[in-house]
Amino acid sequence: MKVLYISASVLPSPTADSVHVMNMCAALAKNGNEVTLFGINGDGDEIFDYYSVPPVFQIKTIPGGKKNFIKRVTEIVQLARKNDVIYTRYIIGAALSRVVLGKKVIYEYHLVMDRFYNIVLEWILSKCSNVRHVFITQSLKDKYIETNKNLKKSDCLVLSDCANDPQIRMEEYHKEHLSCGYIGSFLPGKGIEVVVELAKRFPNNEFHIIGGTNKQIQELKKNASTNIVWHGYKKQKDAMELLHKKVDVALLPNQSKVIVASGTNKSVDIGNYTSPMKLFEYMSYGKAIIASKLPVLEEIVMDQKNALLVTCDDIDEWENALNRLQNDKVLFNKIRMNAHKEFIHNYTWDNRAQKALES
């Protein structure tokens, strides 16, 4: 099957959406499809190497910006005509492919879009046949079905974000002082301040923070303890190597509101709908996870089964959770091994791609 993935992602770039589309395209190709990815020109490194993704699909990029909008639309139409299935997170690409060209479309939702044109085009798409609507969380699906009565449950599918299988060998171990790690941005609601405060309470433990700009790091360092290792932003391959070798306990301190950029000078709260890729990366390497007790994260992890869940902004609870892992070898190994097992069965990119294309 010939699959075109239409993306508005800049390639390469450090954004989570670009990591997502590159891994999905690789997984779609590994499932036996001929895949082409359309995206926006980025600067710098060779794209496949940047994301540590095998070159098993074609990439077509053109310049971004408003002045190139017509060129992008023309290129999308030309590419879509040559393919059997259109997979996209870009509503304009989805509408063009289904309404204008009559192609089968898989449209993926990652947040509630509130721009007028998004609302109108998503409503039009929901009335079309031969469209599969993929949501990254059950809560996001429920929200859309509640507000858009055209959506049929039979056309809707929940597929969480995923990670690659590092094919590691899981073995039991435990240490007196467990090292902790956080991977991700320092955006409002991601909880980096929780990690900084937790490190102060465990002066004998190393804390590895992977992410953030130099400016953000320097600002946080002013009130941080010296047991934090600030790695800054790392390419995917390097970030995963640090996770594998340096981290025993992985932290996911999302707050109830997570604010991200959405379009020009506009921010949006994705706290109720987010499916953080780093959660699945933590699971893939068999890390003991301490995460915020939020409904959207509880769709994936269960307290004391494959993670310890705590109140997102209660530092005392985070401290107690880490103490439990340090003092209980059985609990430590139980939750990390269960997390890894759950990942292998349900949350690899290859499994996700297969489910997305199943009729």
Side-chain angles (χ1 to χ4, degrees):
M1 187 184 299
K2 298 181 71 174
V3 180
L4 171 65
Y5 198 123
I6 301 172
S7 168
S9 299
V10 177
L11 304 168
S13 69
T15 59
D17 61 282
S18 69
V19 175
H20 176 101
V21 300
M22 286 292 293
N23 280 287
M24 267 302 288
C25 285
L28 288 165
K30 289 177 187 176
N31 273 272
N33 302 290
E34 183 181 333
V35 179
T36 301
L37 170 60
F38 172 85
I40 307 301
N41 282 346
D43 297 321
D45 301 356
E46 196 277 331
I47 297 175
F48 290 105
D49 180 65
Y50 184 93
Y51 294 98
S52 192
V53 167
V56 291
F57 58 94
Q58 300 295 315
I59 299 177
K60 172 70 176 180
T61 60
I62 64 173
K66 291 181 179 180
K67 65 180 181 179
N68 293 305
F69 177 74
I70 299 301
K71 183 178 180 181
R72 289 202 302 277
V73 168
T74 302
E75 188 67 30
I76 286 171
V77 170
Q78 291 176 350
L79 288 170
R81 284 197 177 113
K82 303 173 184 177
N83 286 269
D84 305 311
V85 176
I86 311 304
Y87 200 121
T88 186
R89 298 168 52 164
Y90 182 43
I91 187 57
I92 293 175
L96 282 171
S97 300
R98 183 71 199 111
V99 178
V100 178
L101 300 177
K103 295 289 184 176
K104 179 179 179 179
V105 168
I106 302 172
Y107 177 57
E108 190 162 311
Y109 301 72
H110 281 246
L111 69 160
V112 177
M113 302 298 290
D114 58 2
R115 293 187 207 167
F116 179 72
Y117 80 84
N118 276 97
I119 294 171
V120 171
L121 291 179
E122 286 181 349
W123 181 83
I124 291 172
L125 202 65
S126 70
K127 293 179 70 68
C128 294
S129 60
N130 217 16
V131 176
R132 171 165 288 182
H133 303 267
V134 173
F135 301 86
I136 59 166
T137 59
Q138 183 66 44
S139 59
L140 185 59
K141 174 187 170 183
D142 292 344
K143 178 66 174 178
Y144 265 95
I145 287 179
E146 175 189 335
T147 57
N148 187 343
K149 302 305 179 183
N150 295 320
L151 281 171
K152 298 177 183 177
K153 290 185 179 180
S154 58
D155 295 331
C156 297
L157 181 66
V158 175
L159 291 176
S160 304
D161 264 329
C162 290
N164 287 310
D165 180 3
Q167 298 183 333
I168 62 168
R169 180 179 177 181
M170 288 290 290
E171 295 179 350
E172 290 195 8
Y173 76 96
H174 197 253
K175 298 190 300 192
E176 181 181 1
H177 300 298
L178 298 170
S179 62
C180 300
Y182 168 89
I183 299 177
S185 73
F186 295 178
L187 289 170
K190 291 289 190 177
I192 187 62
E193 65 281 356
V194 172
V195 181
V196 172
E197 289 304 310
L198 187 62
K200 294 177 182 178
R201 301 194 179 193
F202 292 87
N204 295 319
N205 298 59
E206 273 194 350
F207 284 72
H208 295 268
I209 296 180
I210 304 162
T213 65
N214 288 333
K215 182 178 179 180
Q216 290 170 327
I217 291 170
Q218 292 308 314
E219 187 63 29
L220 283 167
K221 267 187 173 182
K222 294 177 182 177
N223 296 305
S225 51
T226 57
N227 57 330
I228 296 178
V229 182
W230 303 87
H231 296 277
Y233 171 75
K234 296 292 182 183
K235 294 181 186 178
Q236 186 70 4
K237 180 180 179 181
D238 297 331
M240 292 303 99
E241 185 173 359
L242 286 168
L243 175 64
H244 180 43
K245 294 182 178 180
K246 297 292 186 179
V247 176
D248 304 311
V249 179
L251 307 174
L252 186 62
N254 278 30
Q255 303 299 290
S256 56
K257 290 185 177 182
V258 179
I259 308 301
V260 300
S262 175
T264 306
N265 298 322
K266 186 175 178 61
S267 297
V268 62
D269 175 17
I270 63 168
N272 290 328
Y273 312 116
T274 184
S275 178
M277 276 189 289
K278 62 187 174 186
L279 171 58
F280 304 101
E281 291 167 349
Y282 294 167
M283 294 171 74
S284 75
Y285 280 96
K287 301 304 172 181
I289 299 167
I290 306 177
S292 298
K293 185 177 176 61
L294 299 171
V296 72
L297 298 182
E298 289 180 288
E299 291 183 21
I300 307 299
V301 289
M302 183 183 298
D303 186 36
Q304 300 190 71
K305 179 186 176 184
N306 51 15
L308 293 186
L309 301 181
V310 297
T311 304
C312 61
D313 57 354
D314 189 327
I315 302 298
D316 289 340
E317 287 195 23
W318 286 88
E319 179 182 6
N320 290 338
L322 182 51
N323 273 323
R324 286 185 67 190
L325 293 178
Q326 293 214 136
N327 296 325
D328 191 336
K329 176 180 179 179
V330 174
L331 177 65
F332 171 77
N333 282 296
K334 170 190 169 183
I335 66 171
R336 56 186 289 270
M337 288 189 160
N338 282 344
H340 184 260
K341 189 181 300 182
E342 185 81 8
F343 163 77
I344 293 297
H345 288 164
N346 296 307
Y347 299 116
T348 67
W349 287 115
D350 290 351
N351 287 340
R352 189 180 199 273
Q354 184 177 353
K355 290 175 183 176
L357 289 179
E358 286 175 350
S359 50

